[in-house]
Amino acid sequence: MTARNGVSGESEPAPRTGRRPGRSGSRETILVAARARFAALGFDKTSIRAVATDAGVDPALVHHYFGTKQQLFATVVELPVDPEATLRVIESAPLDELGATILHGVMTVWDSPAGPGVVAAVRSLLAGGDMALARTFLLDVVLERVRLRIATPDDDGRTRVALVATQMIGVLVARKIIGVEPIASMAIPDLIAAVGPTLQRYLTGEIDPAAT
């Protein structure tokens, strides 16, 4: 039976349940907020909750769009790959093989089908003046786990991983951006044999005590 004013005597449909969709443009708003947070505070001091607050959304929506904080950062710097797989390999390497493992892991990505996208992301960071993001990616994301492994009560490892960063940047620029021969066309095993021991010395060998 139908009641007056067109109101049905039947019960109204139950409201929908589940996560409410994000507002139009929420993904882009989150990225803007994340870029600002990462640039200002670095990776470790940036949280998903803080990014969500800045963007005016629920933290669950950030996870929905981007997954983990590391995946969010990879999207911010426009990396075409998630660095987690490479970082897990590096993290599990024996301490005395860290130098060669880091170089092998990174160069394998550079020379993969995703390599041009990684190099493009690096170019964009440097050309766009995003030095804070570039430092955060290199020191807080890529090398922080390595630093924690080599740190001792007398040496926090920061100088050591910074030296590794300079070497890796040099290899990347020479091999993939400028094209310095024979580095640009050298086989990965040969380049690892040449550069890996230097990285290993930076990480675990003797360096200038005044610099640590």
Side-chain angles (χ1 to χ4, degrees):
M1 184 175 104
T2 303
R4 292 183 183 178
N5 301 325
V7 178
S8 172
E10 299 177 358
S11 61
E12 295 182 1
R16 292 182 179 181
T17 60
R19 180 181 295 159
R20 296 174 61 185
R23 302 188 308 271
S24 176
S26 289
R27 188 178 189 279
E28 291 70 25
T29 301
I30 292 169
L31 281 177
V32 170
R35 175 177 288 271
R37 277 268 172 184
F38 283 130
L41 300 176
F43 183 81
D44 286 342
K45 294 181 180 179
T46 296
S47 67
I48 292 289
R49 182 173 296 278
V51 170
T53 298
D54 292 348
V57 300
D58 190 280
L61 193 61
V62 181
H63 287 294
H64 172 70
Y65 280 131
F66 302 102
T68 65
K69 183 171 74 167
Q70 189 161 296
Q71 290 170 322
L72 173 61
F73 186 86
T75 304
V76 165
V77 298
E78 298 180 345
L79 282 180
V81 293
D82 183 353
E84 182 61 32
T86 300
L87 292 175
R88 281 198 298 267
V89 172
I90 293 172
E91 195 172 36
S92 64
L95 201 60
D96 61 354
E97 297 177 13
L98 268 179
T101 304
I102 290 170
L103 194 58
H104 181 271
V106 173
M107 288 183 60
T108 299
V109 174
W110 291 350
D111 287 3
S112 73
V118 174
V119 175
V122 173
R123 285 180 183 270
S124 176
L125 282 173
L126 298 178
D130 286 325
M131 297 304 150
L133 283 177
R135 284 194 300 272
T136 293
F137 174 65
L138 199 55
L139 298 177
D140 293 353
V141 177
V142 176
L143 292 176
E144 177 62 10
R145 296 186 196 180
V146 174
R147 186 192 71 78
L148 292 174
R149 288 193 63 190
I150 64 172
T152 68
D154 300 320
D155 181 356
D156 65 10
R158 295 189 187 280
T159 295
R160 292 180 179 276
V161 296
L163 288 168
V164 170
T166 65
Q167 195 76 24
M168 296 303 299
I169 292 169
V171 172
L172 171 62
V173 171
R175 186 173 176 86
K176 291 297 184 181
I177 296 180
I178 299 178
V180 176
E181 292 293 356
I183 303 302
S185 57
M186 190 177 289
I188 289 180
D190 294 338
L191 195 52
I192 291 174
V195 180
T198 299
L199 297 184
Q200 191 65 44
R201 180 175 68 84
Y202 286 158
L203 291 168
T204 59
E206 291 293 329
I207 58 175
D208 182 5
T212 58

